Amino acid sequence: EQLALDAQQTAQLLRWQQRALHGLPENTWRALCADLALFHSFCRSCNQDTLPASIRTIEAFVEWAAPDRKLSTVRRYLASIGRWHRIIGATDPTRAETVGLTLRAAVHGRRNREDQAEPLNWQRLKKITEHYNQISLEVPHQRLRWLRDRALLWLAYDMLARVSELISLDVEDLSAG
């Protein structure tokens, strides 16, 4: 058995799950479930309990996950695993000092700074626009798609908006003023 939950923890998990299905953003729910599934798979391969997990299991998971993944991804895994422990009312083993040290050791020697996307500044926006204006002339059936994409790019630039803010816009949100 991989879940060593007592009756109270099981009840807490079910109560939380019912509320989370309607109260959490869909992508958050998906990420939490995907991260737990990955951790559960790891725990099964090691014959360890998933929930609640021991500090040693978390350390072993970090040692397994860190070499092939970005630091931000491993940190997200740990945040998700910690959240699942807090949901069931268990002590969060991801906050143990040795887990942090294990993570540091696992990524030692790697570049500390994650690659970040280049900002969408005026020069970059003009360059993108010019490039795709030329392509849309060469490939006419993509012209409408490019016109839409160009409008979204310029809107994002003007609003300083994130993708999530753009996709949540409705026509009614826009005005000519």
Side-chain angles (χ1 to χ4, degrees):
E1 179 175 293
Q2 305 297 282
L3 297 177
L5 304 177
D6 61 30
Q8 182 180 358
Q9 289 171 327
T10 302
Q12 275 184 259
L13 180 60
L14 292 174
R15 194 169 42 254
W16 178 85
Q17 192 173 19
Q18 288 171 341
R19 290 186 178 138
L21 284 172
H22 302 289
L24 277 182
E26 188 178 335
N27 286 340
T28 301
W29 174 251
R30 260 194 241 133
L32 281 169
C33 291
D35 295 347
L36 182 63
L38 178 70
F39 182 60
H40 182 65
S41 176
F42 170 81
C43 289
R44 277 198 351 223
S45 72
C46 303
N47 199 28
Q48 298 294 316
D49 289 334
T50 304
L51 288 175
S54 69
I55 292 171
R56 182 62 201 125
T57 300
I58 301 294
E59 292 167 354
F61 177 72
V62 168
E63 290 169 344
W64 171 81
D68 300 326
R69 292 169 179 85
K70 289 183 175 182
L71 177 60
S72 60
T73 302
V74 178
R75 284 187 175 145
R76 191 194 81 198
Y77 293 158
L78 291 176
S80 294
I81 294 165
R83 187 168 184 177
W84 284 108
H85 280 80
R86 291 188 303 279
I87 288 165
I88 64 169
T91 302
D92 179 356
T94 66
R95 296 191 185 266
E97 176 72 20
T98 55
V99 171
L101 293 172
T102 303
L103 181 59
R104 280 182 145 162
V107 298
H108 183 74
R110 279 198 196 167
R111 287 183 20 205
N112 289 336
R113 192 171 167 271
E114 297 285 334
D115 291 335
Q116 187 169 353
E118 189 177 322
L120 185 60
N121 57 31
W122 176 251
Q123 289 78 22
R124 187 167 167 79
L125 185 61
K126 274 182 52 176
K127 192 174 185 178
I128 291 169
T129 301
E130 290 167 3
H131 176 75
Y132 283 100
N133 280 344
Q134 184 61 39
I135 289 176
S136 73
L137 292 174
E138 295 168 5
V139 188
H141 70 275
Q142 291 187 356
R143 186 153 180 76
L144 283 177
R145 181 180 296 165
W146 166 236
L147 289 173
R148 179 208 57 202
D149 292 349
R150 184 174 62 188
L152 285 171
L153 273 171
W154 282 85
L155 186 62
Y157 179 79
D158 285 345
M159 291 177 50
L160 300 173
R162 296 171 183 253
V163 171
S164 60
E165 295 165 327
L166 283 176
I167 62 173
S168 68
L169 283 176
D170 292 321
V171 173
E172 296 80 33
D173 297 329
L174 304 174
S175 68

